[in-house]
Amino acid sequence: MIGTTKVSGARKGGGNMKSKLSALKFVRNNKKQVWVMVIALSVTFMTMYVVNFLLMTTQESFQTIFLVQPKYLTMFRLTNETAGIDITEEDTEETAAEKRENARNRIVEDLKKIDGIRNVYYTQSLYATYNAIVGQIGYNIPLLSQEEIPEYLDHMGAKLVEGRMPSGDGEMLVDEVILKNSKKSVGDWYEEKAFGQVFKIVGAVDSDKMVCVGMPYGYTNTGWYFMVLCDEAHSDMTQMLKQIGIEVSENDTINDAPDWERAYEENVEKQLTTAITAIMIVVTVFLAISILVAYVSFLRNRVNEYCLYMSIGFARQEVYGMIIREILLIFGGSICLGVVLTAGLEVTLAKIILDPLGLCYRYFYWEQFCKIIMAFIVIIGLLQIPISVTVNSIKTIDRMEE
């Protein structure tokens, strides 16, 4: 037998008990078994929560690029048909190029007339990359002239904090967060694996929009775009283009706030929610099976103890109540210990891994905490089955021979 709880004797004549069965006394008398279960449950709590914490750093970190930056910088490319460019077979390359340039200039000037649009560039772009614990995002950044860069930085709320402003071909300013994330510093080559030793980081900027910008280097780029400096109310380029008489088609490339928001919901929120839910289900099922197997053995080892309680006058309901109080005490203690372990591990991971990588995070997720508590409640509910069977099958000493 694992151990018994000390109880007060019954009144003569089978009257009311002097005291109810104590769950605390059982815990004190069976510390080893209780601590094994508490530690197992608290480590499970910690694992479930920390996995969510790490996966959610992707969502927290990507929010700036997906949801904040596109409200101030949008970009698009249009087909000749959408832009109203009619290039016939009779056109020479020179006249075709002139038509394209005239159409682009017209679009730029028409958009600049809209209140809420500060400026529009038709320019080359590069991409910046940002790596989270799970997933990577690439986004286009503008290559501007030396005179245009200060206006861009001012619009994006970026300030130079290290190095100098670009003044030559291929010189770059990179956000401090992106520098941390890519393990680069001022003086290094920008995206050297992709472009070689072409673009040089000459300065670091501090902003809340992960701003990167540079100067062109010949025609080394990742595409030409219309880049629009706008406010949030004018960050829907489909609507802005409609205002100047241009209807966007599915063949056009529109990277604006609504487009990035849709991509965030589909590629970040939904995927992370699905992954976290799947992990929760797997862990909960595994934990439930493990706890059920362990607790059935636990109950079997205490059958004689329960028999003794009923023989000296305790009712089945009182034995059942004691078992439930023991479970609540064990699970409650596990949750408290799990919270402490989780907080310590989160702080450690943040300082060792997340901060050096320039990742965003928050420590507390109420929804995830509630999900874990609900998983524990489900397990407690499942434990009612073996508990009920055990309690209902208890025989008193005078009936054990029957």
Side-chain angles (χ1 to χ4, degrees):
M1 184 163 59
I2 290 181
T4 60
T5 304
K6 296 179 181 179
V7 298
S8 301
R11 294 176 185 266
K12 290 182 179 181
N16 294 330
M17 307 307 301
K18 292 182 179 178
S19 62
K20 68 179 182 180
L21 295 171
S22 173
L24 284 173
K25 289 181 180 178
F26 167 76
V27 171
R28 285 197 295 265
N29 294 334
N30 298 273
K31 294 184 179 69
K32 181 177 179 181
Q33 290 80 6
V34 171
W35 270 109
V36 167
M37 190 169 292
V38 168
I39 291 173
L41 288 168
S42 61
V43 169
T44 301
F45 178 99
M46 179 185 70
T47 301
M48 295 169 79
Y49 195 92
V50 169
V51 167
N52 175 83
F53 168 70
L54 290 175
L55 289 177
M56 288 300 289
T57 59
T58 297
Q59 182 169 316
E60 299 290 337
S61 300
F62 284 1
Q63 282 179 353
T64 298
I65 297 170
F66 278 91
L67 303 180
V68 178
Q69 191 182 104
K71 293 177 180 178
Y72 301 90
L73 172 67
T74 63
M75 53 189 70
F76 62 90
R77 289 190 296 192
L78 304 177
T79 62
N80 287 339
E81 182 180 0
T82 301
I85 303 172
D86 180 18
I87 301 176
T88 63
E89 293 181 0
E90 292 77 17
D91 285 330
T92 64
E93 184 59 36
E94 290 76 11
T95 58
E98 184 178 356
K99 284 184 177 181
R100 293 189 190 96
E101 184 177 0
N102 290 337
R104 290 194 292 263
N105 290 338
R106 184 180 66 252
I107 292 170
V108 168
E109 293 305 317
D110 287 347
L111 285 174
K112 287 167 67 173
K113 293 175 184 177
I114 299 175
D115 290 338
I117 292 181
R118 179 170 180 173
N119 207 343
V120 183
Y121 313 114
Y122 182 74
T123 186
Q124 300 177 63
S125 70
L126 285 185
Y127 63 78
T129 56
Y130 185 57
N131 297 285
I133 295 296
V134 176
Q136 180 191 73
I137 181 175
Y139 60 102
N140 288 312
I141 62 173
L143 295 177
L144 304 174
S145 67
Q146 184 177 359
E147 294 74 22
E148 292 169 332
I149 289 176
E151 178 190 38
Y152 176 74
L153 295 179
D154 178 68
H155 177 76
M156 300 297 284
K159 295 182 179 179
L160 182 69
V161 293
E162 183 183 355
R164 61 175 176 82
M165 294 288 287
S167 59
D169 292 348
E171 294 186 340
M172 302 287 299
L173 294 177
V174 180
D175 191 280
E176 286 183 307
V177 172
I178 302 298
L179 286 177
K180 278 185 182 181
N181 190 255
S182 59
K183 296 184 168 116
K184 296 286 186 180
S185 58
V186 174
D188 291 339
W189 295 103
Y190 179 80
E191 295 290 349
E192 185 175 0
K193 290 182 180 179
F195 305 110
Q197 296 183 352
V198 174
F199 295 97
K200 188 73 170 286
I201 302 171
V202 298
V205 296
D206 173 46
S207 74
D208 58 359
K209 302 179 184 70
M210 296 189 186
V211 170
C212 299
V213 64
M215 293 180 63
Y217 190 99
Y219 290 97
T220 302
N221 61 71
T222 55
W224 288 74
Y225 287 87
F226 290 93
M227 298 202 176
V228 183
L229 305 185
C230 59
D231 59 23
E232 182 177 350
H234 298 82
S235 58
D236 185 337
M237 279 300 103
T238 299
Q239 294 301 317
M240 295 303 100
L241 289 168
K242 185 179 289 188
Q243 286 190 30
I244 63 173
I246 296 177
E247 292 288 338
V248 174
S249 74
E250 61 182 12
N251 296 320
D252 302 308
T253 301
I254 307 294
N255 296 327
D256 59 3
D259 177 69
W260 278 96
E261 186 174 353
R262 285 190 295 269
Y264 178 78
E265 291 174 357
E266 292 292 329
N267 301 323
V268 179
E269 278 190 333
K270 286 186 179 180
Q271 291 191 20
L272 282 176
T273 299
T274 300
I276 292 170
T277 301
I279 292 171
M280 284 283 295
I281 291 173
V282 170
V283 172
T284 301
V285 170
F286 178 79
L287 178 63
I289 294 172
S290 301
I291 293 296
L292 279 171
V293 170
Y295 209 79
V296 166
S297 175
F298 193 65
L299 291 171
R300 286 175 179 171
N301 290 331
R302 296 181 64 191
V303 169
N304 290 340
E305 177 188 345
Y306 301 147
C307 174
L308 174 61
Y309 294 150
M310 291 191 61
S311 296
I312 62 177
F314 285 99
R316 292 183 192 275
Q317 292 82 355
E318 291 176 290
V319 175
Y320 174 81
M322 178 197 69
I323 297 173
I324 295 301
R325 290 193 297 274
E326 291 172 1
I327 289 177
L328 294 177
L329 193 61
I330 290 170
F331 275 76
S334 301
I335 292 171
C336 293
L337 180 59
V339 169
V340 173
L341 294 175
T342 299
L345 184 56
E346 281 184 321
V347 172
T348 301
L349 290 172
K351 299 302 179 186
I352 294 176
I353 298 175
L354 304 182
D355 288 338
L357 289 177
L359 297 178
C360 303
Y361 56 88
R362 58 188 173 100
Y363 290 118
F364 185 67
Y365 292 90
W366 172 250
E367 183 179 354
Q368 181 66 11
F369 179 81
C370 291
K371 286 181 179 179
I372 297 174
I373 298 301
M374 287 302 298
F376 278 23
I377 291 174
V378 168
I379 293 171
I380 292 174
L382 292 174
L383 289 176
Q384 303 308 302
I385 299 172
I387 291 172
S388 297
V389 171
T390 300
V391 171
N392 289 328
S393 62
I394 296 174
K395 293 182 179 180
T396 56
I397 293 175
D398 61 326
R399 299 187 62 189
M400 291 184 69
E401 297 298 330
E402 296 180 5

